[in-house]
Every structure is written in C-alpha cells, then in structure tokens.
Amino acid sequence: MKPVQCGGSETGRNWIFRNIDVAPGPTMIVFPTEQSCRENVDERIIPGLKDSPQLRTHITEKAHDLKKGTIHLRSCSIYMGWAGSPQALASRPIRYLLLDEVDKYTAWNGKEADPVNLARARLTTYKHNSKLFVLSTPTTPEGVIARGVKNCPDVREFCIRCPECQELQAPDFARLEWEGRDESEPDDIKEVGRRLGVGEIEPEYVCDRCEARIGPLAWRQAVRAGEWVSVGFPPGEHPLSREVGFRLSGLCAIPGIEGVAREWMKARIGDMGALQYFYTNILGVPFWGDAGGDPNLKVDARQIYDLATEGCRRYQVPDWATSVVMGADTAKVGHQYTIYAVGSGYQMQLLDYGECSGDEILKALDKEWTTPGGKRFKIRRVCVDLGGSNTATSTRTEDVYRLAQREPAHIWPVKGWGGNTAPSQTINTTIHSYTPPGGKRSPFDVKSSVVDVGYFKDLLAQSINQATWHPFQGIGRDFVSQMASEEKRLVETKIKPDKSRVEVWRWLPRSVGVANHYWDCTVYALVAAHMLGAGDVEPEPVTPREIEERSTWDTGRISSSWL
Ligand SMILES: [Zn+2]
C-alpha cells in the first residue's frame, strides 16, 4: 500500500525481470484496464527487456513473440491481463502473479470472483514456489489493498530514523508542522501554499522521541537511514509468515515533506474529492470520508435498554462468535473493562463489564469462554488506555506499559488521537522508547497504537443503531448511562472559497464530568476486534461439499485472506 509516484510499479517490473533471469516460471501481470496494460507492455516492459544486455539474451528470434498480450521468452512466458477480462485471468497455471493498482480494478460482475481471487486461483499448480505481489494506492479502509495489508500476519511499515536521537519511527502526518498549517481563511491558506512553494516556509517533522525538529534536508537523510519495521516487533525482528504487507507513507516519497505540506494546503481549500486525493494518493493511506463522520449518529439510553431486552444473558457467548476481546480504560487506581464476543460484520455481544486491577486483566486472559454449541474462546486481545492527564498521572502510563510487557501478544496499549485534523490512519501502531518519569530510571522499548476514536465511535454508534451491538439482559443502569454519555456536537464550521460550509462534528460528553468509561472501554474492545480483523470473516463458511458442487474457482468462493 503506497502513495502515487513512489516507484511501486517499477519495483514490480524489477521483480518480474529478476525472475526471468534467475528463477523463470510462467508469469502474469494484471493492470486495471486494457489501456494501462498496453502502455506498460509497450513503454516499460518490452523496452526494459531490450535495454538490459542480460535480459536481451532471453528474447527469441521470433519478433511476434513480443506481441501485445503475451511475451514468449526463452525461459518463460509473460501473460497480460486486465481487470475487465475474466478470460485473460482464467486461462493457465501461473507461478508469478503481479497485480498492479488493484484498488482501481473496476467493480466485478457480481457472479464472478473478485479479480484478486480469480487471478490468485491460477497459482495453485505452483503452490509450493509461487509468489503473488499485489500493489496499489489505497482507496477506502474496505478497499482490496487496505484489507489485504491489514490481514497479513506481518505488516511492515517504512520507518524513518531521527538524525538526532537515531530512533526509528513510523512517519505520522500529524507530527509535521509549519507556519500557517491551521489557517482557516481560504486566502490565507492559499498564501501559505504559495510561500511553501517558493521555500519561504519550510515544514518540520517533530521527532516522536526527542522532539527534534527535522527540516526538509535532514528529513531526506532520515528517510535514507530508515528501515522496514514489522508492526508490533522491534526493528530487525519479524514474525514467521508467508504473507507480508508493506505500508509506505507519502512522507517518504520523492516530493518530501515540503511536497506533502503544499498538497495539504491545496486539499484544504478543495472539496471532499481533494481531501480524498490527498490521503490516498499523496499520503498513501485509506480515506473514509470527512473528519467529523456522520453528524446524525446518536446513542441514547432508551436504545441500550431496548437492546438489553433481547439477546444473551451475562457471560453467555453466542454461537456466532468468532473471537472474544476486551477493552480497558485506565483510572487513577485500576481499570474499568468490558469483554465482548465478536462475530462477522463486527456484531458484538457484551459478556461482562466492571472494574479490576492490572493483575486481574492478566488473569482474565486465562479464562475460557464457551458457546452453547461448544466452541471455546479465550480473550485474544485487550486494548488498554494509556491514561490521560485528566484521569491519571503519568505513572499510570508506565503501569500500562509494564502490564503490556508481561503479555505482549495480548495486551495492547492504546491512546486516542488528539489532533485537530483527521489522523492519517484509524490505527497507527509504533514501537518506541519510553522513559519513565522521575529521570532516574532507564528507558525501555514499548509498543502502542494511536487510534482515531472518532471513527470507532461512529462505527459503534452505527452498530448500536442497527442492533448488531448487544448488551446482556438485565444490564445495570451505570453501564447504560455511560454508554449514552456522549453526543456528536458541531465544533467548527469552515467556509470554503465557493461560500459553501464544511461542518466538523465530534463526540463530546453530554455534560461536564459525566462518567464515560464503559463507552470508552467498548470503543477499545471494538479497536481490538478491528486490529485482529475479527469481524472480517465470512458469515457462512463454505463447506468442502459445497465447493465440490460448484464448478471450480470461478464461482467466487475461493477462500483467501485477501477478502
Ligand atoms: Zn529524535
């Protein structure tokens, strides 16, 4: 998953060229359209083969071997396909498959398989040494590339290295600062854009660890000294996995931080399309709409009581469950928690809630949950709030990090994103060094995720409105009032050059000081579910018998982590 113009397609072609010479096998390249396919063959692939002395030795004497659509070489053949041509994808066994700009493949005929699955099915003959390379600029969080990357057991992010403190960190657009970034009048925004363009204003990236301010030149060094880091693992360590997802931020692309800053100012005076273009094409992250989401979303106590009259009893796990997750808020002493069963489509059933200590969170991981049908679960992930300044001292942050170190695979420190603009990702996980307060103790490596709580609160409210979220029967009044403790309020109105208004809505407490722990805990449980992809599973798994009855792969039921 990458921004535009960062060498993604070039990487793909280099991979193909390497294979031709080193480990040849039948190859297929799929582009979004016939037009893009022909351009790539004529302008990139054939010149690439002819211009390299080594690759030239693989070209046969027969000129028609280089005809469009198929390239026959001495060592192997390269087949071309495009997303509108199911026949092109459905013909022969393939060892190497390259799907370029996969999010731009046109919507598929409902009866056919998704082009990714269709093309992927060609790899089965070579299943022991085949390789699939999918790349794209993202569209939405539900797009093929964003979901594909998220579902990989090993997700690697290109991290930059701070020239001052040498800390590796995932680039975060929210940490990029420049004079006039927050101007709100269209004319002022344009002026800042102009000054960025001529170099009168230079953006600076603020290091996540030492707060050094990194200017455009030093930033290029920071990128060159960067590394691919597996999310959730220290640099240099990677989980054992056959599927690896790579995320490259536009902050690391050629135009640099000054290019990104200029594009941001342009996007701010444009419409939603301009904003979408900025996030997906410039930053290379999926975009889900306006920062404020849907202003009409509401959660009230009546809805929660109504939902509590149906569904399960406390501790009862429904048969549709696929995972059990936990969300915990951090109080001055101890934690509030909620435990949920999660099923396909992120339906949620509350199993338990209450207050507990850190040790009790550890104990909860051992508890077994059983459905009436006999399926057994343990809690797969606990997202724990790192503690905010209004509810806890900074030593509570240390407590949470220490707790997570005792069960790093299951306990995941999170904090809500606090910026004024939309964060670049719904969940942004980093590994960094944490220095405990007091100054005497040595820093240690920690993992945490910054989450876009506004986005997840919208998802939760939608799920409550659609009755796919359930409390248990006889739920307590404390839980109900906390679930209904926030509402969406208009916090800002921006006037655009064409005089139209853009409203920014945020979830805020209905009254000052009202308790909202179980609402927050539920949001964190939902975040845990999304981190695991727990609700992405197919509602009705295909049984082996059903597979036999359908003709073959082209019925669209190939199981794959890509969808
Ligand atoms: Zn630094």
Side-chain angles (χ1 to χ4, degrees), residues 29 163 176-177 204 331 548:
I29 311 180
L176 192 62
E177 295 182 357
E204 291 175 316
E548 275 172 22

Side-chain angles (χ1 to χ4, degrees), residues 162-167 169 207-212 214:
C162 171
E164 292 295 322
C165 69
Q166 309 299 315
E167 180 82 359
Q169 52 199 286
C207 171
D208 189 26
R209 184 192 187 188
C210 74
E211 311 232 309
I214 307 169

Side-chain angles (χ1 to χ4, degrees), residues 480-545:
V480 175
S481 67
Q482 293 193 18
M483 283 300 290
S485 60
E486 292 193 350
E487 62 185 355
K488 285 200 101 168
R489 285 217 298 271
L490 182 64
V491 292
E492 195 185 346
T493 305
K494 295 173 181 161
I495 310 292
K496 294 201 298 186
D498 62 1
K499 309 288 180 215
S500 65
R501 291 152 52 95
V502 176
E503 297 180 338
V504 180
W505 294 73
R506 298 221 186 285
W507 287 96
L508 293 169
R510 283 182 199 268
S511 52
V512 179
V514 64
N516 63 352
H517 307 297
Y518 296 130
W519 167 248
D520 280 348
C521 291
T522 300
V523 170
Y524 292 143
L526 182 61
V527 169
H530 276 265
M531 283 176 166
L532 299 164
D536 291 340
V537 284
E538 284 284 321
E540 294 161 57
V542 183
T543 64
R545 187 176 164 74

Side-chain angles (χ1 to χ4, degrees), residues 168-374:
L168 279 169
Q169 52 199 286
D172 178 0
F173 176 59
R175 302 194 72 84
L176 192 62
E177 295 182 357
W178 64 90
E179 186 192 328
R181 177 176 165 151
D182 297 327
E183 290 291 357
S184 52
E185 290 301 316
D187 286 346
D188 298 337
I189 294 172
K190 273 188 197 154
E191 175 61 9
V192 173
R194 185 194 67 79
R195 294 180 64 201
L196 279 163
V198 297
E200 277 178 32
I201 297 178
E202 287 200 338
E204 291 175 316
Y205 188 89
V206 183
C207 171
D208 189 26
R209 184 192 187 188
C210 74
E211 311 232 309
R213 304 184 71 85
I214 307 169
L217 267 179
W219 176 260
R220 289 189 161 78
Q221 279 177 32
V223 173
R224 274 199 296 274
E227 276 178 35
W228 289 101
V229 177
S230 291
V231 170
F233 290 81
E237 272 183 37
H238 310 287
L240 198 59
S241 168
R242 293 171 62 91
E243 297 188 20
V244 185
F246 292 90
R247 294 198 301 226
L248 178 68
S249 165
L251 292 165
C252 298
I254 306 292
I257 48 176
E258 62 274 44
V260 171
R262 271 201 311 274
E263 291 288 345
W264 175 242
M265 296 319 270
K266 263 194 232 166
R268 284 197 53 208
I269 44 178
D271 54 9
M272 281 293 280
L275 214 51
Q276 169 156 31
Y277 179 85
F278 175 80
Y279 281 106
T280 58
N281 288 29
I282 302 298
L283 271 191
V285 298
F287 183 76
W288 52 90
D290 202 355
D294 179 356
N296 299 313
L297 286 171
K298 269 196 201 83
V299 174
D300 61 47
R302 188 72 256 157
Q303 284 174 295
I304 311 285
Y305 276 121
D306 286 349
L307 288 167
T309 59
E310 52 197 55
C312 297
R313 298 182 186 284
R314 193 169 197 157
Y315 311 124
Q316 188 189 329
V317 186
D319 276 319
W320 48 254
T322 58
S323 296
V324 173
V325 294
M326 182 171 181
D329 203 1
T330 299
K332 281 199 181 80
V333 177
H335 302 271
Q336 292 86 8
Y337 71 88
T338 56
I339 299 174
Y340 280 91
V342 183
S344 72
Y346 292 93
Q347 53 184 321
M348 294 174 85
Q349 168 66 53
L350 181 67
L351 303 179
D352 191 19
Y353 73 93
E355 297 185 3
C356 67
S357 66
D359 283 344
E360 283 165 331
I361 290 180
L362 289 169
K363 264 185 234 154
L365 293 173
D366 295 328
K367 181 179 161 63
E368 216 167 62
W369 298 86
T370 312
T371 66

Side-chain angles (χ1 to χ4, degrees), residues 405-418:
Q405 279 189 322
R406 294 167 67 186
E407 272 291 344
H410 295 105
I411 299 182
W412 207 278
V414 292
K415 58 184 169 187
W417 193 85

